[in-house]
Amino acid sequence: MTELLRLLIVDDHEVVRLGMRALLERHPTFTVVGEASTQEEAVTIAEEMQPDIVLMDIRLAGGSGIEACQQIKERLPLTKVIMLTSFAEDELLFAAIRAGATGYLLKQIAGGDVVRAIEGAARGESMLDPSLTQRVFFEVRRSIKKEEAVAFQDLTSQERQVLLLIAEGRTNREIATELFLSEGTVRNYVSSILSKLGVSNRAEAAAYAIKHHLSDHI
């Protein structure tokens, strides 16, 4: 016999809860063990019923579904929380991910998609509404770019040019010729670069430049 997935529905609109319950209880392997309308109720009932999956409205009257998610995950780390919202807001999306949500879905999705999200969450999969996927990748790329830029923030424009040539394997003489500098000036630049990056030799400086994609920040 297939073990039933225990579900908790959290939404401050009774009609939404009733509709969600009617949808889910048609599924042979789902059982709704409770409903909640507030943040406090959600955490209390979750602790009492210990559901496998919580379907959590992101906006609750007098509270936050995101805070409820965080509290539930702290107390019941094995319970999966799927956030449901009518709003595709980037700030809420990333706040939900940081709070430990397994999924983030827009309420406009079809009932079958909700069922598949629950089944996926039970298997340990992270679920994200397809319309939000590009936003996540954009934010990840933006964060990486920001981190990379910080990696070279102490270097002057000329030092970045010198470092780029070091990463290409150029000697001091070759760098001097390329940038119309004296070899002594290049040596000074190299010493300053090593000091600012906290590395001990040219090879480490070159590896640092490649790792943080220096060519994108020239």
Side-chain angles (χ1 to χ4, degrees), residues 82 102-105 113 116-118 120-121 125-129:
I82 298 175
T102 295
Y104 190 100
L105 304 175
D113 291 330
R116 283 187 285 275
I118 292 171
E125 300 171 6
S126 296
M127 312 301 296
L128 181 65
D129 193 285

Side-chain angles (χ1 to χ4, degrees), residues 12 58 61 87 90 118 120 136 142 145 151 164 184 203 209 213:
D12 57 1
I58 207 163
F87 309 97
D90 293 356
I118 292 171
V136 172
R142 191 179 70 83
K145 289 291 185 183
L164 182 62
H213 301 93

Side-chain angles (χ1 to χ4, degrees), residues 6-206:
R6 297 162 52 80
L7 311 177
L8 171 62
I9 301 170
V10 182
D11 197 292
D12 57 1
H13 293 92
E14 183 181 13
V15 172
V16 174
R17 296 198 307 273
L18 290 174
M20 188 68 71
R21 177 185 280 271
L23 167 69
L24 299 177
E25 289 192 331
R26 291 203 303 264
H27 196 282
T29 63
F30 295 170
T31 180
V32 177
V33 297
E35 297 179 17
S37 61
T38 68
Q39 175 183 331
E40 184 178 356
E41 281 183 355
V43 176
T44 299
I45 295 175
E47 283 193 288
E48 178 185 352
M49 304 305 298
Q50 299 194 9
D52 301 301
I53 310 286
V54 178
L55 294 166
M56 178 82 70
D57 186 9
I58 207 163
R59 296 182 185 275
L60 299 173
S64 163
I66 291 174
E67 292 179 11
C69 172
Q70 184 172 355
Q71 292 174 330
I72 289 171
K73 292 299 294 182
E74 288 173 353
R75 303 175 194 191
L76 301 169
L78 297 181
T79 293
K80 308 295 194 307
V81 180
I82 298 175
M83 307 301 297
L84 297 173
T85 180
S86 301
F87 309 97
E89 298 180 30
D90 293 356
E91 182 180 346
L92 294 178
L93 167 61
F94 292 105
I97 293 173
R98 288 192 294 269
T102 295
Y104 190 100
L105 304 175
L106 298 181
K107 288 183 177 180
Q108 295 92 319
I109 67 171
D113 291 330
V114 175
V115 169
R116 283 187 285 275
I118 292 171
E119 292 174 331
R123 293 191 297 268
E125 300 171 6
S126 296
M127 312 301 296
L128 181 65
D129 193 285
S131 66
L132 300 172
T133 303
Q134 284 302 110
R135 299 185 188 206
V136 172
F137 283 120
F138 174 80
E139 180 64 22
V140 169
R141 287 193 294 267
R142 191 179 70 83
S143 297
I144 290 173
K145 289 291 185 183
K146 183 177 180 181
E147 181 180 326
E148 289 174 351
V150 169
F152 305 108
Q153 66 180 357
D154 293 334
L155 300 186
T156 66
S157 176
Q158 188 75 291
E159 287 171 340
R160 294 185 190 195
Q161 292 289 347
V162 171
L163 178 57
L164 182 62
L165 294 173
I166 290 174
E168 293 176 359
R170 306 286 191 92
T171 64
N172 283 356
R173 177 173 295 182
E174 290 170 336
I175 294 173
T177 300
E178 177 81 16
L179 299 180
F180 304 101
L181 302 170
S182 70
E183 285 191 56
T185 299
V186 171
R187 281 195 296 272
N188 289 338
Y189 275 132
V190 172
S191 177
S192 175
I193 290 167
L194 298 182
S195 176
K196 288 181 178 180
L197 297 184
V199 296
S200 57
N201 54 55
R202 295 167 72 97
E204 289 181 7

